């Protein structure tokens, strides 16, 4: 007799990022891709100013908590088995993070887990691995966030090598790119910083050149949408899209030649990403040039999906 298939279990996950907050509610069954029931993402800039002040501002906390209150109501309507909420770079770095965590618990009813860069990479990898094309085995994954960027070299039967650098799109804007559009000197300074940190990050990643380069998160997915001039975000056309370095250079030039206001409405560019997308383009272009990579496989799956996959595995072990 064959074993009967395991019934799907319903979970919710929230990723509280430096720039973006993301919600995913899905059904998961072991050995099957997750079935998305509801998703949402909002650019709320929780990490605004954290690089300078080392504190989350009251206004930024208010924005995120208001969103989490809405999502609490949404999640309750789906009768999920469990919910996981994680916070990344901005909350990790903030001196007043306990105040924020207590407010979230009191005002929105969520317990938040503040995860390290390494743990963020582990769960991001779970998400990426769940949606790779057939035949892709060794990968060098890149997750460009608001406050940090993670490099993950993952090969079957070997422990992943993870490096997290403190450069993200919000941090780069606040520390270096002060003009609108950025000056040539600022762009040069940004490239030098990214190049230096990239070389350090991959110094011990022997053999990364033969791995498939995979990019996840908002910068890479936005550039893939812009490359295709998508009028609305279409995950099916973005996921596993191959983005060429040549295309990234062209998009970067377009983004750096105009002001933030002039970027509004560019085909494929998500609303409220106008300020940080140029920083993202600088980061991905410089990393690829530094490492001699000509294309990146775009993954629309990442930390948010990995949080749910991890939650389902934990629930299965209980």
């Amino acid at each position: 007799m064959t074993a009967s298939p395991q019934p799907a279990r319903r979970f919710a996950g929230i990723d509280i990022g430096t720039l973006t907050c993301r919600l995913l509610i899905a059904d998961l069954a072991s050995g099957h891709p997750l079935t998305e029931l509801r998703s949402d993402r909002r650019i709320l800039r929780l990490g605004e100013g954290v690089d300078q002040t080392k504190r989350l501002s009251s206004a930024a906390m208010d924005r995120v908590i208001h969103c989490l209150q809405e999502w609490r109501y949404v999640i309750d309507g789906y009768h999920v088995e469990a919910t996981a909420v994680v916070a990344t770079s901005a909350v990790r770095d903030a001196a007043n993070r306990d105040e924020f965590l207590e407010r979230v618990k009191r005002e929105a009813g969520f317990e938040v887990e503040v995860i390290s860069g390494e743990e963020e990479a582990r769960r991001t990898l779970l998400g990426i691995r769940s949606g790779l094309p057939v035949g892709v085995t060794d990968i060098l994954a890149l997750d460009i966030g608001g406050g940090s960027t993670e490099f993950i070299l993952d090969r079957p039967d070997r422990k992943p090598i993870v490096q997290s650098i403190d450069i993200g799109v919000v941090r780069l804007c606040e520390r270096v790119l002060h003009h609108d559009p950025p000056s040539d000197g600022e762009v040069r300074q940004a490239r030098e910083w990214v190049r230096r940190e990239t070389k350090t990050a991959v110094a011990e990643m022997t053999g990364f050149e033969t791995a498939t380069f995979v990019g996840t998160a908002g910068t890479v997915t936005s550039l893939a949408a812009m490359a295709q001039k998508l009028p609305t975000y279409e995950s099916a056309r973005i996921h596993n899209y191959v983005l060429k370095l040549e295309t990234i250079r062209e998009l970067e030039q377009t983004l750096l030649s105009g002001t933030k206001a002039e970027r509004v409405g560019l085909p494929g560019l998500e609303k409220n990403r106008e300020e940080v997308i140029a920083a993202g383009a600088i980061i991905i272009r410089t990393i690829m040039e530094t490492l001699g990579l000509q294309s990146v496989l775009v993954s629309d799956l990442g930390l948010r999906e990995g949080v749910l996959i991890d939650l389902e595995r934990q629930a299965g072990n209980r």
Side-chain angles (χ1 to χ4, degrees), residues 117-189:
E118 189 150 295
E119 179 60 18
E120 181 179 350
R122 185 186 73 81
R123 293 193 213 181
T124 297
L125 191 56
L126 288 176
I128 291 171
R129 281 275 180 209
S130 72
L132 287 174
V134 174
V136 175
T137 54
D138 296 9
I139 64 169
L140 174 64
L142 185 76
D143 179 5
I144 301 172
S148 66
T149 293
E150 278 70 47
F151 294 79
I152 315 159
L153 180 61
D154 186 51
R155 293 166 286 193
D157 306 320
R158 301 196 211 181
K159 188 181 177 197
I161 303 172
V162 176
Q163 290 292 341
S164 181
I165 63 173
D166 281 335
I167 303 177
V169 294
V170 174
R171 199 184 300 269
L172 190 60
C173 285
E174 291 185 354
R175 197 177 288 191
V176 180
L177 306 177
H178 301 302
H179 290 86
D180 182 26
S183 68
D184 290 347
E186 287 170 348
V187 173
R188 261 195 316 273
Q189 186 184 345

Side-chain angles (χ1 to χ4, degrees), residues 22 41 123-133 136 139-144 212-224 233-243 284 296-306 309:
R22 297 176 174 87
R41 64 179 181 188
R123 293 193 213 181
T124 297
L125 191 56
L126 288 176
I128 291 171
R129 281 275 180 209
S130 72
L132 287 174
V136 175
I139 64 169
L140 174 64
L142 185 76
D143 179 5
I144 301 172
T212 300
F213 185 49
V214 181
T216 186
T219 287
V220 180
T221 56
S222 292
L223 292 174
Y233 194 89
E234 291 181 62
S235 179
R237 290 185 61 183
I238 289 165
H239 185 60
N240 289 334
Y241 178 78
V242 177
L243 189 57
I284 182 71
V296 57
L297 179 68
V298 178
S299 175
D300 200 32
L301 308 178
L303 178 58
R304 186 175 64 167
E305 289 76 16
I309 293 166

Side-chain angles (χ1 to χ4, degrees), residues 248-308:
I248 293 171
R249 287 181 180 134
E250 291 168 1
L251 290 169
E252 184 203 54
Q253 181 56 43
T254 299
L255 293 165
L256 289 173
S257 65
T259 64
K260 180 173 64 173
E262 289 167 338
R263 295 177 201 137
V264 174
L266 285 174
L269 182 56
E270 184 181 10
K271 190 174 183 293
N272 296 326
R273 198 174 279 278
E274 298 87 9
E275 183 176 355
V276 298
I277 188 63
I282 290 169
I283 292 171
I284 182 71
R285 172 185 171 172
T286 306
I287 287 171
M288 290 176 72
E289 289 180 343
T290 303
L291 301 183
L293 303 168
Q294 295 304 309
S295 64
V296 57
L297 179 68
V298 178
S299 175
D300 200 32
L301 308 178
L303 178 58
R304 186 175 64 167
E305 289 76 16
V307 164
L308 284 198

Side-chain angles (χ1 to χ4, degrees), residues 65-100:
I65 288 168
H66 178 71
C67 173
L68 293 177
Q69 288 169 335
E70 286 185 38
W71 286 352
R72 169 89 271 169
Y73 180 78
V74 171
I75 290 168
D76 287 348
Y78 279 86
H79 308 291
V80 301
E81 183 175 326
T83 300
V85 183
V86 302
T88 57
S89 176
V91 182
R92 278 200 298 266
D93 294 346
N96 61 337
R97 75 182 196 176
D98 288 345
E99 176 195 345
F100 173 68

